[in-house]
Amino acid sequence: MTANKKMLFLPGDGIGPEVMDQVKRVMDGMAKSRAVNFDIIDGLVGGACYDAHGCAVTDETMTDAMNVDAVMLGAVGGPKWDDVARQHRPEAGLLRLRKDMDLYANLRPAIVFDALIDASTLKADVISGLDILILRELTAGVYFGEPRGIETLADGTRRGLDTQVYTEAEIERIARLAFELAGKRNGRVTSSEKANVMESGVFWREVVTNVHKDYADIELNHMYADNCAMQLVRNPKQFDVIVTDNLFGDILSDCAAMLTGSLGMLPSASLGEADESGRRRAMYEPVHGSAPDIAGEDKANPLATILSYAMCLKYSFDMTEDAAMLETAVEDVLGQGLRTPDIMSDGMTAVSTTQMGEAVVTELDKLAG
Ligand code: IPM
Ligand code: MG
């Protein structure tokens, strides 16, 4: 039923390849039990690409990324490439994919699974039942603003600079999506910036407020980003959708990840604008990084990547039923007490990356039964 749908797989660096292998395992499982099939192209990104080609992503891979129906990415980066020039550093590959594919909307849901309540450092009553969505603007702001650089002034002093800049259109489209998404959830949007200090923050607030006029049934409130970080750990259940810029979104989503027990649990979807046929460019990746310290040890948690694949089924292929089944399978293996080291707690069963992937497939088979 999904013949000819194409996906590009970019495992990247560190634990990227290991966790992506588990997605392939899940895909193979679903191909058998649910007749879900895709054509997969494999590619390199990050340090892996730099080692092979001297750049963080090749033009050929970029062309593939632009033409497939969805991209799945593992992780990029590691100390091995610390001394590489910035334009070729592993992160540059990821940023080029985001920018050239115009993936302006980064959805980072933070959901607390009941079975993992003890894995979080926060008290159970603060996080139980938590289901929030961080919507991060992904193609503008300080990540891409010009001018930027490290320069020497006429008097010989040096300085480093970056530019935080947002156009009205860039704020408008992410705000619009925030209201649309909130409409399918609990109808509340918190917009986060630093309007008390930054001009771009004042402007962000103004544009979001204007867009809100088209969404009378959605509740909007504004919150300074520092307060938002604090509220996320104090009382995260007050939020539904948090919409914010590229940099604050980077920080707040790491913070939200820890509410769920581990960075190893948080999936993400990066989406472009829909064309006339409703098709969007899209890339799916776990929020966690490449964790070079445990790479190759079969210890990494593959669930964030597996859950990213569930987001892919939902947002790129409209296969909500399959996505829900995969999410249930993940919930079930956690319910059985299986834990990778990052989410391990007393009385639970320690498993490897591979064993976790296998357990999800076994569970899927049962569910598809
Ligand atoms: C993320 C990561 C990236 C970012 C890095 C790897 C460039 O932290 O996706 O959150 O800063 O956006
Ligand atoms: Mg980050």
Short mmCIF file of all heavy atoms in Angstrom, two decimals, residues 150-200:
data_model
loop_
_atom_site.label_atom_id
_atom_site.label_comp_id
_atom_site.label_asym_id
_atom_site.label_seq_id
_atom_site.Cartn_x
_atom_site.Cartn_y
_atom_site.Cartn_z
N ILE A 150 34.19 35.50 13.81
CA ILE A 150 35.17 35.93 14.81
C ILE A 150 36.08 36.89 14.07
O ILE A 150 36.63 36.54 13.02
CB ILE A 150 35.95 34.73 15.37
CG1 ILE A 150 35.00 33.74 16.05
CG2 ILE A 150 37.04 35.20 16.35
CD1 ILE A 150 35.63 32.42 16.43
N GLU A 151 36.18 38.12 14.55
CA GLU A 151 36.91 39.13 13.78
C GLU A 151 37.87 39.92 14.65
O GLU A 151 37.74 39.97 15.87
CB GLU A 151 35.93 40.06 13.07
CG GLU A 151 34.96 40.72 14.01
CD GLU A 151 33.83 41.48 13.30
OE1 GLU A 151 33.42 41.07 12.21
OE2 GLU A 151 33.39 42.49 13.86
N THR A 152 38.87 40.52 13.99
CA THR A 152 39.83 41.38 14.68
C THR A 152 39.54 42.82 14.28
O THR A 152 39.50 43.13 13.08
CB THR A 152 41.27 41.00 14.29
OG1 THR A 152 41.44 39.59 14.55
CG2 THR A 152 42.29 41.77 15.12
N LEU A 153 39.30 43.66 15.25
CA LEU A 153 38.99 45.06 14.98
C LEU A 153 40.27 45.85 14.69
O LEU A 153 41.39 45.34 14.90
CB LEU A 153 38.25 45.67 16.17
CG LEU A 153 36.95 44.95 16.55
CD1 LEU A 153 36.32 45.59 17.77
CD2 LEU A 153 35.97 44.93 15.38
N ALA A 154 40.11 47.11 14.23
CA ALA A 154 41.24 47.95 13.85
C ALA A 154 42.24 48.11 14.99
O ALA A 154 43.46 48.16 14.76
CB ALA A 154 40.73 49.31 13.40
N ASP A 155 41.73 48.15 16.22
CA ASP A 155 42.65 48.33 17.37
C ASP A 155 43.27 47.01 17.83
O ASP A 155 43.94 46.96 18.86
CB ASP A 155 41.91 49.01 18.53
CG ASP A 155 40.83 48.12 19.12
OD1 ASP A 155 40.64 46.99 18.61
OD2 ASP A 155 40.19 48.54 20.10
N GLY A 156 43.03 45.97 17.07
CA GLY A 156 43.67 44.69 17.39
C GLY A 156 42.87 43.80 18.32
O GLY A 156 43.23 42.64 18.53
N THR A 157 41.78 44.34 18.92
CA THR A 157 40.99 43.48 19.80
C THR A 157 40.13 42.55 18.95
O THR A 157 39.73 42.89 17.84
CB THR A 157 40.05 44.30 20.72
OG1 THR A 157 39.26 45.18 19.91
CG2 THR A 157 40.84 45.10 21.73
N ARG A 158 39.87 41.36 19.48
CA ARG A 158 39.07 40.38 18.73
C ARG A 158 37.69 40.29 19.33
O ARG A 158 37.49 40.56 20.52
CB ARG A 158 39.76 39.02 18.79
CG ARG A 158 41.12 39.01 18.12
CD ARG A 158 41.83 37.69 18.35
NE ARG A 158 41.23 36.62 17.56
CZ ARG A 158 40.95 35.40 18.01
NH1 ARG A 158 41.21 35.10 19.26
NH2 ARG A 158 40.42 34.49 17.23
N ARG A 159 36.72 39.89 18.52
CA ARG A 159 35.38 39.65 19.04
C ARG A 159 34.67 38.57 18.22
O ARG A 159 34.99 38.34 17.06
CB ARG A 159 34.56 40.94 19.06
CG ARG A 159 34.26 41.49 17.69
CD ARG A 159 33.36 42.71 17.80
NE ARG A 159 32.84 43.05 16.48
CZ ARG A 159 32.01 44.06 16.26
NH1 ARG A 159 31.62 44.83 17.26
NH2 ARG A 159 31.58 44.31 15.05
N GLY A 160 33.73 37.93 18.87
CA GLY A 160 32.91 36.93 18.19
C GLY A 160 31.49 37.44 18.14
O GLY A 160 31.03 38.05 19.10
N LEU A 161 30.81 37.24 17.03
CA LEU A 161 29.42 37.71 16.97
C LEU A 161 28.51 36.78 16.17
O LEU A 161 28.96 36.08 15.27
CB LEU A 161 29.34 39.14 16.41
CG LEU A 161 29.56 39.33 14.91
CD1 LEU A 161 28.74 40.48 14.41
CD2 LEU A 161 31.03 39.56 14.65
N ASP A 162 27.24 36.80 16.60
CA ASP A 162 26.18 36.12 15.89
C ASP A 162 25.01 37.08 15.83
O ASP A 162 24.95 38.02 16.61
CB ASP A 162 25.75 34.85 16.66
CG ASP A 162 26.85 33.82 16.68
OD1 ASP A 162 27.04 33.13 15.67
OD2 ASP A 162 27.55 33.72 17.72
N THR A 163 24.10 36.84 14.92
CA THR A 163 22.98 37.76 14.76
C THR A 163 21.65 37.04 14.96
O THR A 163 21.39 36.04 14.29
CB THR A 163 23.00 38.39 13.35
OG1 THR A 163 24.25 39.07 13.19
CG2 THR A 163 21.86 39.38 13.17
N GLN A 164 20.85 37.55 15.88
CA GLN A 164 19.50 37.00 16.06
C GLN A 164 18.58 37.82 15.17
O GLN A 164 18.41 39.02 15.39
CB GLN A 164 19.10 37.12 17.54
CG GLN A 164 17.62 36.96 17.82
CD GLN A 164 17.16 35.51 17.79
OE1 GLN A 164 17.83 34.63 17.24
NE2 GLN A 164 16.02 35.24 18.39
N VAL A 165 18.02 37.20 14.14
CA VAL A 165 17.14 37.96 13.26
C VAL A 165 15.97 37.09 12.80
O VAL A 165 16.15 35.90 12.48
CB VAL A 165 17.92 38.55 12.05
CG1 VAL A 165 18.74 37.51 11.33
CG2 VAL A 165 17.00 39.27 11.07
N TYR A 166 14.77 37.67 12.83
CA TYR A 166 13.55 37.00 12.35
C TYR A 166 12.73 37.93 11.48
O TYR A 166 12.46 39.05 11.88
CB TYR A 166 12.69 36.53 13.54
CG TYR A 166 13.04 35.13 13.97
CD1 TYR A 166 13.85 34.90 15.07
CD2 TYR A 166 12.60 34.04 13.23
CE1 TYR A 166 14.20 33.61 15.43
CE2 TYR A 166 12.95 32.75 13.58
CZ TYR A 166 13.75 32.54 14.68
OH TYR A 166 14.10 31.27 15.02
N THR A 167 12.36 37.46 10.30
CA THR A 167 11.44 38.25 9.47
C THR A 167 10.01 37.94 9.93
O THR A 167 9.75 36.94 10.60
CB THR A 167 11.55 37.87 7.99
OG1 THR A 167 11.11 36.51 7.83
CG2 THR A 167 12.98 38.01 7.48
N GLU A 168 9.11 38.83 9.54
CA GLU A 168 7.71 38.66 9.89
C GLU A 168 7.18 37.32 9.36
O GLU A 168 6.49 36.58 10.06
CB GLU A 168 6.91 39.83 9.30
CG GLU A 168 5.47 39.84 9.73
CD GLU A 168 4.81 41.19 9.49
OE1 GLU A 168 5.39 42.03 8.76
OE2 GLU A 168 3.73 41.42 10.04
N ALA A 169 7.54 37.01 8.11
CA ALA A 169 7.05 35.78 7.49
C ALA A 169 7.55 34.55 8.25
O ALA A 169 6.82 33.56 8.40
CB ALA A 169 7.50 35.71 6.03
N GLU A 170 8.78 34.60 8.73
CA GLU A 170 9.32 33.46 9.46
C GLU A 170 8.59 33.23 10.78
O GLU A 170 8.36 32.08 11.19
CB GLU A 170 10.82 33.69 9.73
CG GLU A 170 11.69 33.48 8.49
CD GLU A 170 13.09 34.10 8.61
OE1 GLU A 170 13.35 34.87 9.56
OE2 GLU A 170 13.92 33.79 7.74
N ILE A 171 8.24 34.31 11.44
CA ILE A 171 7.51 34.16 12.72
C ILE A 171 6.07 33.73 12.44
O ILE A 171 5.53 32.85 13.11
CB ILE A 171 7.53 35.48 13.52
CG1 ILE A 171 8.97 35.92 13.79
CG2 ILE A 171 6.78 35.30 14.85
CD1 ILE A 171 9.11 37.33 14.33
N GLU A 172 5.50 34.34 11.40
CA GLU A 172 4.11 34.07 11.08
C GLU A 172 3.84 32.59 10.81
O GLU A 172 2.89 32.00 11.33
CB GLU A 172 3.74 34.88 9.84
CG GLU A 172 2.41 35.58 9.98
CD GLU A 172 2.13 36.40 8.73
OE1 GLU A 172 2.58 37.56 8.69
OE2 GLU A 172 1.49 35.85 7.81
N ARG A 173 4.70 31.97 10.00
CA ARG A 173 4.41 30.59 9.62
C ARG A 173 4.55 29.61 10.78
O ARG A 173 3.79 28.66 10.90
CB ARG A 173 5.19 30.15 8.39
CG ARG A 173 6.70 30.10 8.53
CD ARG A 173 7.32 29.57 7.24
NE ARG A 173 8.77 29.51 7.32
CZ ARG A 173 9.54 28.98 6.39
NH1 ARG A 173 9.00 28.46 5.31
NH2 ARG A 173 10.84 28.96 6.54
N ILE A 174 5.52 29.87 11.67
CA ILE A 174 5.66 28.95 12.81
C ILE A 174 4.52 29.19 13.81
O ILE A 174 3.99 28.25 14.41
CB ILE A 174 7.07 29.06 13.48
CG1 ILE A 174 7.34 27.87 14.40
CG2 ILE A 174 7.27 30.35 14.25
CD1 ILE A 174 7.69 26.61 13.71
N ALA A 175 4.10 30.46 13.95
CA ALA A 175 2.99 30.77 14.87
C ALA A 175 1.71 30.11 14.37
O ALA A 175 0.97 29.48 15.13
CB ALA A 175 2.81 32.28 14.97
N ARG A 176 1.48 30.22 13.07
CA ARG A 176 0.28 29.63 12.47
C ARG A 176 0.23 28.12 12.76
O ARG A 176 -0.78 27.58 13.18
CB ARG A 176 0.30 29.89 10.96
CG ARG A 176 -1.02 29.96 10.30
CD ARG A 176 -0.97 30.66 8.95
NE ARG A 176 -0.98 32.11 9.02
CZ ARG A 176 -2.02 32.86 9.37
NH1 ARG A 176 -3.15 32.30 9.73
NH2 ARG A 176 -1.94 34.18 9.42
N LEU A 177 1.37 27.47 12.55
CA LEU A 177 1.42 26.02 12.79
C LEU A 177 1.18 25.71 14.27
O LEU A 177 0.51 24.73 14.61
CB LEU A 177 2.76 25.45 12.33
CG LEU A 177 2.89 23.94 12.41
CD1 LEU A 177 1.88 23.23 11.52
CD2 LEU A 177 4.30 23.48 12.01
N ALA A 178 1.70 26.55 15.15
CA ALA A 178 1.50 26.34 16.59
C ALA A 178 0.01 26.34 16.91
O ALA A 178 -0.49 25.46 17.64
CB ALA A 178 2.22 27.42 17.40
N PHE A 179 -0.73 27.32 16.35
CA PHE A 179 -2.17 27.39 16.62
C PHE A 179 -2.90 26.20 16.01
O PHE A 179 -3.81 25.63 16.63
CB PHE A 179 -2.74 28.72 16.12
CG PHE A 179 -2.20 29.91 16.88
CD1 PHE A 179 -1.54 30.94 16.21
CD2 PHE A 179 -2.33 30.00 18.27
CE1 PHE A 179 -1.03 32.04 16.92
CE2 PHE A 179 -1.83 31.09 18.97
CZ PHE A 179 -1.17 32.12 18.30
N GLU A 180 -2.49 25.81 14.79
CA GLU A 180 -3.12 24.66 14.15
C GLU A 180 -2.93 23.40 15.00
O GLU A 180 -3.85 22.62 15.21
CB GLU A 180 -2.51 24.38 12.76
CG GLU A 180 -2.51 25.56 11.80
CD GLU A 180 -3.79 25.66 10.99
OE1 GLU A 180 -4.52 24.66 10.95
OE2 GLU A 180 -4.04 26.75 10.42
N LEU A 181 -1.68 23.19 15.44
CA LEU A 181 -1.38 21.99 16.22
C LEU A 181 -2.12 22.02 17.56
O LEU A 181 -2.64 21.00 18.01
CB LEU A 181 0.14 21.86 16.44
CG LEU A 181 0.95 21.50 15.20
CD1 LEU A 181 2.44 21.68 15.45
CD2 LEU A 181 0.66 20.06 14.75
N ALA A 182 -2.17 23.19 18.18
CA ALA A 182 -2.87 23.31 19.47
C ALA A 182 -4.35 22.98 19.30
O ALA A 182 -4.97 22.40 20.19
CB ALA A 182 -2.69 24.71 20.05
N GLY A 183 -4.89 23.32 18.12
CA GLY A 183 -6.30 23.02 17.83
C GLY A 183 -6.60 21.53 17.84
O GLY A 183 -7.70 21.10 18.11
N LYS A 184 -5.55 20.73 17.54
CA LYS A 184 -5.73 19.27 17.53
C LYS A 184 -5.36 18.68 18.89
O LYS A 184 -5.40 17.46 19.07
CB LYS A 184 -4.85 18.64 16.44
CG LYS A 184 -5.27 19.05 15.06
CD LYS A 184 -4.43 18.31 14.03
CE LYS A 184 -4.61 18.92 12.66
NZ LYS A 184 -3.40 19.00 11.88
N ARG A 185 -4.91 19.55 19.82
CA ARG A 185 -4.51 19.07 21.15
C ARG A 185 -5.42 19.72 22.19
O ARG A 185 -6.62 19.58 22.13
CB ARG A 185 -3.03 19.38 21.39
CG ARG A 185 -2.09 18.70 20.39
CD ARG A 185 -0.68 19.22 20.55
NE ARG A 185 -0.27 19.24 21.96
CZ ARG A 185 0.43 18.27 22.56
NH1 ARG A 185 0.84 17.24 21.86
NH2 ARG A 185 0.73 18.36 23.84
N ASN A 186 -4.80 20.44 23.14
CA ASN A 186 -5.63 21.02 24.21
C ASN A 186 -5.91 22.51 24.05
O ASN A 186 -6.35 23.17 24.98
CB ASN A 186 -4.98 20.73 25.57
CG ASN A 186 -5.00 19.25 25.86
OD1 ASN A 186 -6.01 18.58 25.63
ND2 ASN A 186 -3.88 18.72 26.32
N GLY A 187 -5.62 23.02 22.86
CA GLY A 187 -6.06 24.38 22.55
C GLY A 187 -5.31 25.51 23.25
O GLY A 187 -5.83 26.61 23.37
N ARG A 188 -4.06 25.22 23.69
CA ARG A 188 -3.31 26.29 24.38
C ARG A 188 -1.92 26.45 23.77
O ARG A 188 -1.21 25.47 23.55
CB ARG A 188 -3.20 25.98 25.86
CG ARG A 188 -4.52 26.23 26.61
CD ARG A 188 -4.42 25.95 28.08
NE ARG A 188 -4.25 24.53 28.33
CZ ARG A 188 -3.18 24.00 28.91
NH1 ARG A 188 -2.19 24.76 29.33
NH2 ARG A 188 -3.12 22.70 29.10
N VAL A 189 -1.53 27.69 23.53
CA VAL A 189 -0.19 27.99 23.02
C VAL A 189 0.52 28.95 23.97
O VAL A 189 -0.05 29.96 24.37
CB VAL A 189 -0.26 28.63 21.60
CG1 VAL A 189 1.11 29.15 21.19
CG2 VAL A 189 -0.79 27.63 20.58
N THR A 190 1.75 28.59 24.33
CA THR A 190 2.61 29.52 25.06
C THR A 190 3.72 29.92 24.11
O THR A 190 4.43 29.07 23.57
CB THR A 190 3.24 28.84 26.30
OG1 THR A 190 2.18 28.37 27.13
CG2 THR A 190 4.13 29.81 27.07
N SER A 191 3.85 31.22 23.85
CA SER A 191 4.91 31.71 22.98
C SER A 191 6.03 32.24 23.86
O SER A 191 5.81 33.03 24.77
CB SER A 191 4.34 32.80 22.07
OG SER A 191 5.40 33.44 21.38
N SER A 192 7.25 31.78 23.57
CA SER A 192 8.36 32.10 24.47
C SER A 192 9.47 32.87 23.76
O SER A 192 9.92 32.48 22.68
CB SER A 192 8.90 30.79 25.05
OG SER A 192 9.80 31.07 26.08
N GLU A 193 9.87 33.99 24.35
CA GLU A 193 10.96 34.83 23.80
C GLU A 193 11.55 35.64 24.95
O GLU A 193 11.24 35.38 26.11
CB GLU A 193 10.47 35.74 22.68
CG GLU A 193 9.02 36.14 22.67
CD GLU A 193 8.51 36.86 23.89
OE1 GLU A 193 9.30 37.28 24.75
OE2 GLU A 193 7.30 37.01 24.01
N LYS A 194 12.38 36.61 24.62
CA LYS A 194 12.90 37.53 25.64
C LYS A 194 12.55 38.96 25.20
O LYS A 194 13.41 39.78 24.91
CB LYS A 194 14.42 37.35 25.78
CG LYS A 194 14.83 36.12 26.55
CD LYS A 194 14.65 36.25 28.06
CE LYS A 194 15.66 37.20 28.67
NZ LYS A 194 15.42 37.39 30.13
N ALA A 195 11.24 39.24 25.16
CA ALA A 195 10.77 40.57 24.74
C ALA A 195 11.18 41.65 25.75
O ALA A 195 11.14 42.84 25.44
CB ALA A 195 9.26 40.56 24.56
N ASN A 196 11.59 41.22 26.94
CA ASN A 196 12.04 42.21 27.92
C ASN A 196 13.45 42.72 27.63
O ASN A 196 13.88 43.73 28.17
CB ASN A 196 11.96 41.63 29.35
CG ASN A 196 12.67 40.30 29.49
OD1 ASN A 196 12.98 39.65 28.50
ND2 ASN A 196 12.93 39.89 30.72
N VAL A 197 14.17 42.03 26.77
CA VAL A 197 15.57 42.40 26.50
C VAL A 197 15.86 42.57 25.00
O VAL A 197 16.66 43.41 24.61
CB VAL A 197 16.53 41.31 27.05
CG1 VAL A 197 17.98 41.71 26.83
CG2 VAL A 197 16.28 41.05 28.52
N MET A 198 15.21 41.75 24.17
CA MET A 198 15.60 41.69 22.75
C MET A 198 14.56 42.30 21.82
O MET A 198 13.36 42.04 21.95
CB MET A 198 15.85 40.22 22.36
CG MET A 198 16.96 39.58 23.18
SD MET A 198 16.98 37.78 23.06
CE MET A 198 17.56 37.57 21.39
N GLU A 199 15.02 43.08 20.86
CA GLU A 199 14.13 43.67 19.86
C GLU A 199 13.44 42.57 19.06
O GLU A 199 12.24 42.64 18.78
CB GLU A 199 14.91 44.57 18.89
CG GLU A 199 15.54 45.79 19.53
CD GLU A 199 14.54 46.70 20.23
OE1 GLU A 199 13.41 46.81 19.74
OE2 GLU A 199 14.90 47.28 21.27
N SER A 200 14.20 41.54 18.71
CA SER A 200 13.60 40.44 17.95
C SER A 200 12.52 39.76 18.79
O SER A 200 11.56 39.21 18.25
CB SER A 200 14.68 39.44 17.52
OG SER A 200 15.37 38.95 18.65
#
